[in-house]
Amino acid sequence: MTVIAFLGAGSVVFTRELLADILSFDELRDVTLALHDIDAERLETAEMIARRTADQLGCHPVITTSLDRRTALDNADFVINSIQVGMHEATVRDFEIPAKYGLRQTIADTLGVGGIFRALRTFPILDRIARDIEEVCPDAWLLNYTNPMAMNIAYLAAKAPKVKAAGLCHSVFWTVHDLAELLEVPLDEIDYLGAGINHQSWLLRFEHRGESLYPRLDALLERDPELRRRVRMDMYRRIGYFPTETSEHSAEYVPWYLHHDEEIARLRIPVGDYLRISAGNVAEYHATRAALLRNERLDLTREATEYAPQVIHSMVTGAMRRIHANVPNHGLIGNLPQGYAVEVPCVVDRLGIRPEQVGDLPVQCAALNRGFVSVGELTVRAALTGDKRMVRQAAMADPNTAATLTVEQIWDLCDELTAAHGALMPEALI
């Protein structure tokens, strides 16, 4: 019987979606779902979701819960990681402290000082997860959803290379999905290839029945000035390849926008947006728990299936799929640093996740990606070596931070964030 362990199962909305996707496959209706969270109430809520989902779908998985991670990992075939170290309170610190220095952020979970410190809070837990997997379920696949995706996968590759890990993110798929709606082209008739770094990949090919859809997008942008008032549309018009992450995310990965009031207004950039999203996630958790306690039915309708259930189904059944995933760059993209995590097409079947070689990216895309990678490489190296200066150097290398703050302000900001996050940080970097 297939055993799927959920780490951070208390992320109830995401857990609900994954469970609905998994149990919708006929071949996975009797799997074992091993739920783990460090918060007892959230774990209880996740269990209620799992049992309610199974009941509504008429299937009979084995459902276990444990506050002990190693117990949940016992005999696991797949480990889905969606932990958030520090939860909403840490997110608030990642926004409010930089804002005092005049540094604007939108999402702050992937790059910038927010991404750097989210990574540094997460790495110590990744260490323990990797060690437990090596000892308890060494053949399991670790399917990571936790951000910052590229930093986490790069860190795991350096610290625990024996662990079979891949980072899963839906940004490439949903980018194509949304463009298909915008261009009024059936999604299932579009062929596409994305590659780059997670949250800053590029649609290298975007075609309908063998013809590029870019000319059609160009014509639409020419006719619709309001559509041009979005960061990713602005980046596409200037770079020539469409970025596979939202405008809110993309705005804080480059030095051109958030430093300028006029650009924020022109491109309608929602500064601090993730504070609203994070607070909404907390509210949705409480609303979901209350609904479960009232014995209400869950809404299990899904527009598309998440990658992790697809990966599990392919590995269990042999059904071949092609997805985009995040893996170490071992000859996959020639003009990006080797060893760091890249996002590339992958084939999945019983043999596992097999990345495809892309070759070189267009030079302008690689140039932006290398700046993105530099921040991540320094952050990972800081954690591996315990070098506090590298944390500050990572922030100095970050495009948006460097465009906004002096080097002295950057160092002071990193000192303050380190103190604020305290024991969540790697001990050597405190």
Side-chain angles (χ1 to χ4, degrees):
M1 182 182 293
T2 301
V3 179
I4 306 169
F6 284 74
L7 306 185
S11 302
V12 296
V13 176
F14 192 51
T15 296
R16 180 187 68 205
E17 294 173 351
L18 288 174
L19 288 170
D21 288 345
I22 289 168
L23 297 178
S24 293
F25 286 113
D26 289 340
E27 299 89 344
L28 302 179
R29 290 166 67 85
D30 62 349
V31 296
T32 293
L33 304 170
L35 309 179
H36 163 71
D37 203 280
I38 61 173
D39 184 299
E41 182 189 288
R42 281 183 171 266
L43 183 59
E44 178 188 56
T45 307
E47 181 182 10
M48 287 192 287
I49 287 174
R51 297 194 183 281
R52 188 70 48 82
T53 300
D55 180 64
Q56 289 182 209
L57 294 177
C59 52
H60 304 283
V62 175
I63 300 170
T64 67
T65 64
S66 180
L67 293 167
D68 177 69
R69 183 175 56 243
R70 289 175 70 91
T71 300
L73 290 173
D74 190 33
N75 292 317
D77 300 292
F78 302 96
V79 180
I80 297 177
N81 180 42
S82 59
I83 64 171
Q84 183 184 349
V85 180
M87 299 295 286
H88 178 66
E89 293 76 12
T91 296
V92 171
R93 290 193 288 271
D94 281 342
F95 274 92
E96 290 186 346
I97 294 173
K100 291 195 312 182
Y101 289 78
L103 180 60
R104 293 162 169 161
Q105 301 177 102
T106 49
I107 306 296
D109 70 349
T110 294
L111 210 65
V113 292
I116 291 167
F117 280 86
R118 181 179 285 242
L120 294 175
R121 295 195 303 272
T122 305
F123 290 163
I125 309 303
L126 287 182
D127 275 339
R128 297 167 204 163
I129 291 171
R131 184 170 62 247
D132 287 348
I133 289 174
E134 288 175 336
E135 295 175 1
V136 175
C137 53
D139 294 326
W141 273 89
L142 174 59
L143 306 176
N144 179 71
Y145 276 100
T146 295
N147 283 320
M149 181 70 73
M151 292 191 209
N152 288 340
I153 294 299
Y155 181 79
L156 282 168
K159 194 68 183 291
K162 293 182 180 179
V163 173
K164 296 183 292 186
L168 304 180
C169 176
H170 48 227
S171 62
V172 176
F173 169 81
W174 283 108
T175 293
V176 175
H177 173 280
D178 293 347
L179 286 175
E181 287 192 345
L182 186 66
L183 298 175
E184 299 181 340
V185 178
L187 178 63
D188 60 4
E189 294 181 9
I190 293 178
D191 298 304
Y192 60 94
L193 186 155
I197 306 297
N198 179 242
H199 285 191
Q200 199 182 65
S201 287
W202 313 93
L203 287 184
L204 303 181
R205 298 185 67 178
F206 178 47
E207 301 173 359
H208 179 237
R209 297 179 179 174
E211 292 188 11
S212 175
L213 284 168
Y214 277 143
R216 196 180 302 189
L217 180 58
D218 294 339
L220 182 60
L221 285 168
E222 187 66 29
R223 295 193 305 269
D224 188 346
E226 282 302 298
L227 189 58
R228 297 197 295 269
R229 295 184 60 202
R230 298 295 292 157
V231 167
R232 67 198 312 202
M233 295 297 178
D234 194 71
M235 289 181 64
Y236 162 64
R237 292 173 63 226
R238 299 173 194 280
I239 301 300
Y241 293 89
F242 203 83
T244 64
E245 192 45 78
T246 65
S247 292
E248 290 76 13
H249 278 278
S250 296
E252 63 185 4
Y253 303 155
V254 293
W256 313 318
Y257 301 121
L258 286 172
H259 186 48
H260 305 282
D261 293 341
E262 319 84 69
E263 290 296 85
I264 290 173
R266 178 176 74 92
L267 298 171
R268 299 173 291 186
I269 301 172
V271 175
D273 195 40
Y274 194 69
L275 282 175
R276 174 189 60 80
I277 295 170
S278 182
N281 290 339
V282 173
E284 190 163 4
Y285 161 74
H286 290 296
T288 300
R289 179 174 173 82
L292 288 164
L293 292 172
R294 291 193 299 268
N295 204 32
E296 295 178 6
R297 289 177 63 84
L298 294 173
D299 181 3
L300 301 181
T301 56
R302 306 280 289 123
E303 187 174 357
T305 302
E306 268 290 347
Y307 274 157
Q310 294 183 57
V311 167
I312 293 168
H313 183 264
S314 287
M315 289 194 194
V316 170
T317 66
M320 184 176 288
R321 287 183 172 85
R322 193 165 181 263
I323 66 169
H324 285 76
N326 296 273
V327 294
N329 186 21
H330 297 311
L332 302 173
I333 299 180
N335 52 354
L336 290 184
Q338 298 299 296
Y340 196 75
V342 291
E343 190 164 56
V344 294
C346 298
V347 171
V348 191
D349 57 18
R350 281 197 186 94
L351 299 179
I353 299 174
R354 305 195 305 284
E356 298 179 349
Q357 186 179 42
V358 174
D360 286 354
L361 297 178
V363 291
Q364 68 273 34
C365 297
L368 282 180
N369 282 164
R370 281 194 291 267
F372 193 113
V373 169
S374 294
V375 179
E377 284 188 313
L378 284 163
T379 304
V380 171
R381 180 66 62 177
L384 293 174
T385 63
D387 188 339
K388 299 177 183 179
R389 289 170 60 90
M390 283 190 174
V391 177
R392 283 79 183 159
Q393 291 161 357
M396 290 169 62
D398 176 66
N400 179 47
T401 305
T404 307
L405 303 182
T406 67
V407 289
E408 195 66 37
Q409 288 174 319
I410 291 170
W411 281 56
D412 289 345
L413 170 56
C414 289
D415 289 345
E416 190 168 346
L417 278 169
T418 299
H421 289 305
L424 297 178
M425 295 279 289
E427 187 176 349
L429 296 179
I430 297 176

